[in-house]
Amino acid sequence: VQLQASGGGLVQAGGSLRLSCAASGRIFSSSVMGWFRQAPGKEREFVAAIRWGVGNTYYADSVKGRFTISRDKAENTVYLQMNSLKPEDTAVYYCARDRHGLSFSGNDYDDWGKGTLVTVSS
């Protein structure tokens, strides 16, 4: 599976962006799709994940209530709706697939897309 993330850009604090992650190839129901981010000088961190089959969602505390992850099975696409953006949300955002189940560690994810840069100005 190849993953292609898009939708990043420059936005003012309080604004919104929607990221998309298009997947080529079949995604099995047991897979988990996740979003991670890496800010300059910081380690990569978990943002959100969704179970492809049943749609259960999981969020980092830092984004809970502001970000929403969703998926469109027909389009083989995962989305990350980001509202009430803050300057500390500035990072390169990556989508990834874990073939084996839910994990909040990027080390457990098998497939990664190229990142998309989100910049939030104050």
Side-chain angles (χ1 to χ4, degrees):
V1 170
Q2 291 186 329
L3 305 174
Q4 179 65 52
S6 61
L10 174 64
V11 64
Q12 288 188 332
S16 299
L17 280 176
R18 188 176 82 154
L19 306 183
S20 300
C21 176
S24 64
R26 182 178 178 183
I27 301 177
F28 291 93
S29 295
S30 57
S31 294
V32 172
M33 301 298 293
W35 286 96
F36 291 79
R37 67 186 182 187
Q38 187 166 19
K42 295 188 177 181
E43 293 187 352
R44 181 178 60 196
E45 64 174 354
F46 168 79
V47 176
I50 185 168
R51 293 188 185 273
W52 187 256
V54 297
N56 292 0
T57 58
Y58 308 86
Y59 298 93
D61 288 343
S62 58
V63 306
K64 203 171 292 184
R66 300 188 298 122
F67 290 10
T68 302
I69 187 171
S70 62
R71 90 288 195 226
D72 185 327
K73 287 185 173 182
E75 295 293 327
N76 245 24
T77 300
V78 178
Y79 301 98
L80 186 67
Q81 177 66 44
M82 305 185 295
N83 298 329
S84 302
L85 282 161
K86 305 175 181 180
E88 51 264 43
D89 294 318
T90 295
V92 177
Y93 284 71
Y94 299 89
C95 63
R97 181 184 73 145
D98 187 335
R99 288 177 285 178
H100 305 295
L102 179 66
S103 173
F104 302 134
S105 170
N107 293 334
D108 294 327
Y109 282 70
D110 305 286
D111 305 299
W112 290 82
K114 292 183 180 180
T116 185
L117 176 63
V118 172
T119 304
V120 184
S121 63
S122 56

